Each structure stands twice: as C-alpha cells, then as structure tokens.
Amino acid sequence: MTPDLKEHYDYSKWLSEKELTPLEKTYLTILIWADQRLRIVDYLESMENLYYKINMQMPRSHTEQYNLDNKFWYWYPLFALGTFSVIAYIVAAISGALLGFYYSPATAGDPSVAYNQITYIMTDLNFGFMLRSIHRWSAQVMVAAVFLHMLRVYFVGAYKEPRELNWIIGIILISLTLMFGYTGYLLPWDQLSFWAGQIGVEMALSIPILGEWVAQLMFGGFSLGQATLQRMYILHVFVLPFAVTTVIAIHIGIVWMQGIAEPH
Amino acid sequence: MKRKTYKKQKDNVEFPILTDGSGLMQNPVPPDDQTPSWSERKSRSTGLAQLTYEYFERARLEDQDIRSRADYLEREVLGFPMWPHEVVRGFAITSFFIGIILLLSAVAPPHIAAPANPSQTPAVILPDWYLYWSFGLLKLEPLNPALSILGGDKIMLDRTFGVLANLVVVGFLAALPFVNKGKARRPVEEPFWAAFGVAGVVFAFTVSVLSVKNLVPLNSHLLFDLTFILPVLFGIVFYSLLKTMREGYMYELNRRYYRLRPPKPYRPPKPPK
Ligand code: HEM
C-alpha cells in the first residue's frame, strides 16, 4: 500500500509560503508540474551521478601529472582545427539550407532548371550572390580544416591506442566530407559539374566487380542525366547531412570520453 | 547487500564503495528489498548476460583498486570557469573563424562556368582542389605493370589501377593505428614515422600537380618522376633532421619526465575493513 502524503507535501502551499521573484516562481512551477508527470528528479539525479563518476574521479591528465604547465599550449592552435571543421560545417549547413529554398535539381529547360536557378540566385535574388559565396567558401574551408586536422592528429601521434577507433571514424568522416564537396560541385550543372560527373561515372565503372552496380546506385545510370543530378541532390541535402552530423557527434563524443591526447 | 568501506585518503571520511553498479555515490534513495543488486542479477542470469555482469564487476573492482591507490582522487582545480572565461574565448575564436569565411566569400565569390554541354569536352576537366590527389592517382598508368606472361598486356585497365590506387591509400590510412603502435607521440620520438608523414603530405601535393599536368609547363616524364622523387627526398631530409635533433631533445624530455619527477613509489592498497 502506498501511503497518501499529499497533505504533507503540498507544493502550492510551499510555493506561496516562500518569498520568490516572479522568475523563480515560474521556474519552480514549471519544474514541479513537469516533475510530477515525468519524475525528472530521478533522471537529473542519475545524470549527476554519472557526471561525478566520470568526471570527478578521472585520474589527473598527463599535463597535470608531470606539471608540464604551458608546454602543451603552444600546440593549441592546431588542436582547434577539429572545432574549426565543426564551425565551418555549421556555417555551410545554414547557408546551404537557405540556398535550398531557391535551387531545384532538374536538367530540363534551357539550358537547365538547375543552372538557371543558380544564375537566378547569383543575379536576381537579394543576398543570393553572397549566400552562394558563403556556402562555397565554408565548404572549402571545412575541407581544408579537416585535412589539416588529420595532419595534426597524425603528427601528434593521437591516432594510437586507445584512439584507433576515432581515427577510423575520422577516415570515414573525411571521405564523407569529400563526397559532400563532390556532390555539391555537380549541382550547378555547368561544364565543370558535368565533366567532373563524367569522371565520377568512369571511376565508379572501373571498380572491379561492383563497378556497374555502384554507377547505377550513385549516378543513376552509366551516362549523366536527370537521374544523376537528382541523386547528387538527395545525397547532398538529405543523406549526407544526416550521416555526417551523426558521425561527427559520435566522433566528438568519443573525444569527450577519451580526452584529448596530449603530446608528450 | 555487501558493502566494502574504504577510507577516502584526503579527508579520511568513510564512504561506502559498491561494486554492484551503484558505484561510489551512495544512492540518496536506497534501493528497497526488492531491487536486485548486481550480484543478485548476476546469479539469476545465465549465459552471455551473466558473463556481462561478471565482467562489469571485475571492471568496477579494477577502478576501485586504482582509485584506492591513487592519491589524486578528486581534482582540486577542475578547470577554468565556463563563464565567462571559456564562453568568451570560444565566442572570440568562433567569430574570428566565421569572419575569415565571410571575408573570403566577400573577396573571392565563386562564378559559374558555361552550362553543361555533353557534346563539347572542355580543355581542362577538373574536380575541386581537394580531390586533385585522388584525380592524380588516376593518372599513374606508367606504374601499371605490363606482364610478359600476359603477352605484354597490363594486368588491369589503367582506370581500374587508378581506382585501386585510391583504395590502397585510404585503406593504408585506415590501418595506420595498427601499423604504427606504441606510446611515442612527438615527431622526434619516431623520426621514421614523422618523415613518412612529411613524405605523404609532399606526395599529396606532387600527385595533385600531376593531376593537372596539362597546365604545368614541365616535361610530363620529368613531372611524373618528380612526383615520386620529391616526397622521398623530403622524407629523407626530415628523417636526418629529426635524427640529429633527437638526441638532445630526448635528453631534455627524459630529464623533464624522469629526473625531475621520479616515479611515485608504489603504495599497497588499503585493505577493506
Ligand atoms: C568532419 C570532419 C571532422 C570533425 C568535425 C572532427 C572533429 C574533431 C574534434 C572537435 C576533435 C577534438 C580535438 C580537436 O579539435 O583537435 C577531434 C579529435 C580527433 N579527430 Fe577529428 N574531426 C574530423 C575529422 C577527422 C579525421 C579526418 C580524422 C583522422 C583520420 C580524425 C581523427 C581524430 C582523432 C584521432 C581525434 C582525437 C585526437 C586527440 O585526442 O588528440 N578526425 N575531431
């Protein structure tokens, strides 16, 4: 049997007896309301436990143990490259989402709807020229930052045990990033896009055994056309964003769990 | 429920450590009689589940053992405060970086080429710069071995060879942590691997140049040879440099690590009461 203690724990009475600012009062009211339905307290508490277990009890880091002080810090700019990749990714995502309102992936028309929409964005749309420029440059900067980030990880030996898994996830990430760039490169459907696409199809076709299957899957056929552009578009604005965001989250989550490898 | 009690070293407060999943913190709401402890759950389970509990228990014990021997259970200074220190710094770095992106896009906006035209192959076909290396690897056909058993035929199409070269490069990178193991981190500690990395970076550049060879005013055979010779050259130079630096540098490092800070003496674990 559960005892009924409602009277002992009359929260509205408790609230009215306390002297609270309106902010505090609103906060508490919402907290109590939600907690009585969802029992948030339990979750908060177990999160707190988790936090203390993981964070407070960690052995001191290498720099602390050996009292290396600032010996670590002259490397710091290089350790920001991963963060810079994330920032550039976010800028690209925002500008890309805005571009997405005006672009449409179609090869029909004269010369093609896709091409015309890019021209429209660049010449007629307010801020369109700027938006495309920002999107293009944030993508370039992201790729550059990812390359350099990988180099710093290499030269600092941060890929070694226990971080092998994150290195491999990194390889997946850089491949996905390059794919992001490549699919985006095809979207304006100009000469550069078309012939870069041509090389892509040929590369896919020359993969031993799986070639034709890969070409079908990625390019929608063996010669370029509407199917290709549409696939590139879906990859660029639907598949890759989900994939890359998830993998970045895992990647950074692992860094959070393992800590940054310090050069020593 | 079995509880072991350890003395916390710093302030000698007694606190219970549970190895049954509830850990160091005592649960503010103690489990009632019906809540099974880890040991009980272990004994009820079989097979893989039981093995999992057994492993968890061992891992917990190990943690506990480490903690009871270490003298730095809790950090005295956890870090800089989030506000304002970290937030302001993060904001500054982020705005600076976004500023660079905006500056670049203002200074050098992209243009658009002529519309796609399947019937007219342009003189220069290029992906974006970051794919030049991969594009260059497609142009390694002089390396594709022609075998006399096959009557002088090449073992595979040049195209296939190029794609495989890409796979080999990426595959090798993925395997790197399993090829180069050990604890060394600084380049001086492993001159070979640092030099290898430098050679790799230089190769990425040279092979990128190779990919645009029709734009480079150099004899294409010479260019091809340079593509491979330059990385090796740079590698050798860096190797010798690092080797030369190594002795003095490692001496410094070792002195810093081991002379000034001798390893802590082993203290046996405190026995449970
Ligand atoms: C989308 C691309 C990527 C993003 C957003 C990203 C993000 C990050 C961030 C924020 C960190 C924390 C440390 C730091 O900033 O340097 C990190 C660490 C790390 N990254 Fe990446 N990364 C990416 C690609 C890669 C690649 C291509 C590799 C290598 C192949 C890689 C391997 C690693 C490893 C091993 C660590 C741990 C390094 C350490 O503990 O010192 N990452 N990453």
Side-chain angles (χ1 to χ4, degrees):
Chain A
M1 194 200 87
T2 321
D4 185 1
L5 300 178
K6 278 229 170 67
E7 271 171 35
H8 292 276
Y9 294 95
D10 186 344
Y11 290 101
S12 45
K13 195 164 142 238
W14 176 63
L15 267 185
S16 59
E17 278 167 6
K18 281 175 98 67
E19 272 183 31
L20 297 171
T21 64
L23 181 72
E24 288 166 340
K25 187 158 185 184
T26 322
Y27 168 74
L28 270 185
T29 314
I30 295 176
L31 182 69
I32 290 170
W33 189 88
D35 187 57
Q36 284 172 344
R37 275 138 252 257
L38 305 169
R39 214 51 182 151
I40 301 175
V41 174
D42 291 350
Y43 295 95
L44 287 183
E45 195 180 279
S46 51
M47 269 161 63
E48 197 186 341
N49 274 349
L50 201 67
Y51 176 84
Y52 281 104
K53 267 187 198 168
I54 294 172
N55 284 324
M56 305 291 267
Q57 304 295 333
M58 258 199 314
R60 275 191 303 190
S61 78
H62 188 88
T63 14
E64 285 170 287
Q65 253 181 77
Y66 292 99
N67 214 350
L68 292 184
D69 306 327
N70 51 5
K71 287 290 176 282
F72 166 59
W73 290 97
Y74 62 84
W75 293 91
Y76 186 75
L78 300 180
F79 282 70
L81 284 164
T83 312
F84 282 173
S85 318
V86 178
I87 296 174
Y89 181 58
I90 292 172
V91 174
I94 294 172
S95 54
L98 293 177
L99 283 175
F101 286 117
Y102 304 102
Y103 173 85
S104 58
T107 56
D110 176 30
S112 62
V113 174
Y115 189 85
N116 291 341
Q117 284 307 107
I118 301 281
T119 326
Y120 163 75
I121 289 172
M122 288 174 66
T123 52
D124 292 339
L125 180 69
N126 284 341
F127 295 111
F129 196 63
M130 181 177 116
L131 207 54
R132 175 159 187 247
S133 189
I134 292 174
H135 189 65
R136 176 63 80 91
W137 272 108
S138 51
Q140 309 268 330
V141 165
M142 173 174 173
V143 176
V146 171
F147 267 119
L148 294 176
H149 169 63
M150 181 169 151
L151 288 184
R152 105 86 176 117
V153 170
Y154 179 89
F155 284 109
V156 162
Y159 54 84
K160 293 180 177 179
E161 196 204 307
R163 298 185 176 77
E164 302 98 325
L165 189 63
N166 228 9
W167 172 264
I168 292 172
I169 291 177
I171 299 286
I172 295 172
L173 265 180
I174 200 172
S175 312
L176 290 177
T177 310
L178 295 181
M179 241 162 92
F180 234 130
Y182 180 78
T183 52
Y185 195 67
L186 294 206
L187 294 184
W189 211 240
D190 59 7
Q191 277 288 66
L192 287 174
S193 319
F194 187 86
W195 293 96
Q198 195 65 36
I199 299 171
V201 175
E202 281 169 22
M203 275 179 80
L205 282 174
S206 15
I207 298 173
I209 306 171
L210 298 177
E212 299 197 350
W213 187 78
V214 173
Q216 276 287 359
L217 185 72
M218 304 294 288
F219 294 92
F222 304 148
S223 61
L224 301 185
Q226 174 63 37
T228 318
L229 186 57
Q230 196 136 7
R231 272 169 207 232
M232 290 301 134
Y233 182 67
I234 292 299
L235 282 176
H236 191 80
V237 305
F238 184 75
V239 179
L240 284 173
F242 279 109
V244 171
T245 308
T246 315
V247 182
I248 288 181
I250 296 173
H251 186 74
I252 295 178
I254 292 179
V255 175
W256 185 62
M257 286 157 68
Q258 296 189 321
I260 303 268
E262 297 153 34
H264 54 77
Chain B
M1 197 187 305
K2 227 167 67 188
R3 281 188 188 180
K4 297 180 189 150
T5 328
Y6 283 83
K7 280 232 163 109
K8 198 178 179 184
Q9 304 209 333
K10 228 173 268 155
D11 35 12
N12 272 355
V13 177
E14 275 193 17
F15 71 115
I17 299 181
L18 309 178
T19 47
D20 66 349
S22 41
L24 284 166
M25 304 288 295
Q26 194 170 8
N27 236 333
V29 181
D32 61 35
D33 295 344
Q34 265 122 53
T35 312
S37 74
W38 269 21
S39 342
E40 282 161 347
R41 279 183 261 172
K42 184 181 80 178
S43 62
R44 279 188 218 161
S45 59
T46 53
L48 291 183
Q50 187 174 42
L51 286 177
T52 312
Y53 282 120
E54 271 175 34
Y55 167 72
F56 279 175
E57 235 176 15
R58 284 190 69 89
R60 265 287 139 64
L61 269 171
E62 188 194 341
D63 278 3
Q64 206 181 88
D65 203 14
I66 291 175
R67 281 169 180 153
S68 61
R69 290 177 202 202
D71 62 352
Y72 41 81
L73 269 187
E74 276 170 78
R75 302 185 190 187
E76 260 148 38
V77 178
L78 279 174
F80 294 114
M82 178 81 167
W83 172 262
H85 194 105
E86 291 294 320
V87 172
V88 169
R89 190 176 66 171
F91 186 73
I93 292 179
T94 309
S95 349
F96 175 70
F97 191 67
I98 294 180
I100 291 179
I101 296 180
L102 294 184
L103 181 71
L104 282 170
S105 13
V107 171
H111 294 280
I112 188 167
N117 182 353
S119 57
Q120 183 214 341
T121 315
V124 184
I125 301 179
L126 275 184
D128 250 353
W129 58 269
Y130 45 76
L131 286 175
Y132 285 4
W133 61 272
S134 161
F135 200 45
L137 288 176
L138 297 180
K139 302 193 175 173
L140 296 183
E141 61 271 8
L143 292 185
N144 193 357
L147 294 186
S148 49
I149 334 171
L150 303 176
D153 280 348
K154 298 195 165 182
I155 40 175
M156 58 182 102
L157 285 179
D158 285 337
R159 264 182 4 191
T160 311
F161 185 75
V163 172
L164 286 185
N166 271 282
L167 291 184
V168 167
V169 169
V170 177
F172 177 77
L173 278 179
L176 188 67
F178 308 99
V179 178
N180 178 22
K181 297 184 174 181
K183 292 257 173 271
R185 290 223 192 278
R186 294 191 180 230
V188 269
E189 290 176 272
E190 279 184 337
F192 171 77
W193 284 99
F196 183 83
V198 171
V201 174
V202 176
F203 181 65
F205 276 101
T206 54
V207 84
S208 297
V209 173
L210 181 72
S211 76
V212 289
K213 61 182 169 190
N214 45 358
L215 300 181
V216 181
L218 265 187
N219 175 308
S220 71
H221 290 293
L222 178 62
L223 186 61
F224 192 84
D225 293 341
L226 280 181
T227 303
F228 292 92
I229 294 173
L230 281 182
V232 175
L233 212 64
F234 270 86
I236 292 174
V237 169
F238 265 81
Y239 183 77
S240 343
L241 262 177
L242 289 172
K243 269 287 203 197
T244 321
M245 285 168 63
R246 191 179 144 96
E247 204 167 315
Y249 200 98
M250 291 305 287
Y251 174 75
E252 271 299 306
L253 272 185
N254 285 340
R255 202 173 55 155
R256 171 134 34 94
Y257 286 160
Y258 304 117
R259 304 242 172 108
L260 297 184
R261 291 172 195 81
K264 299 225 164 71
Y266 173 75
R267 266 182 287 105
K270 304 227 161 143
K273 276 203 258 179

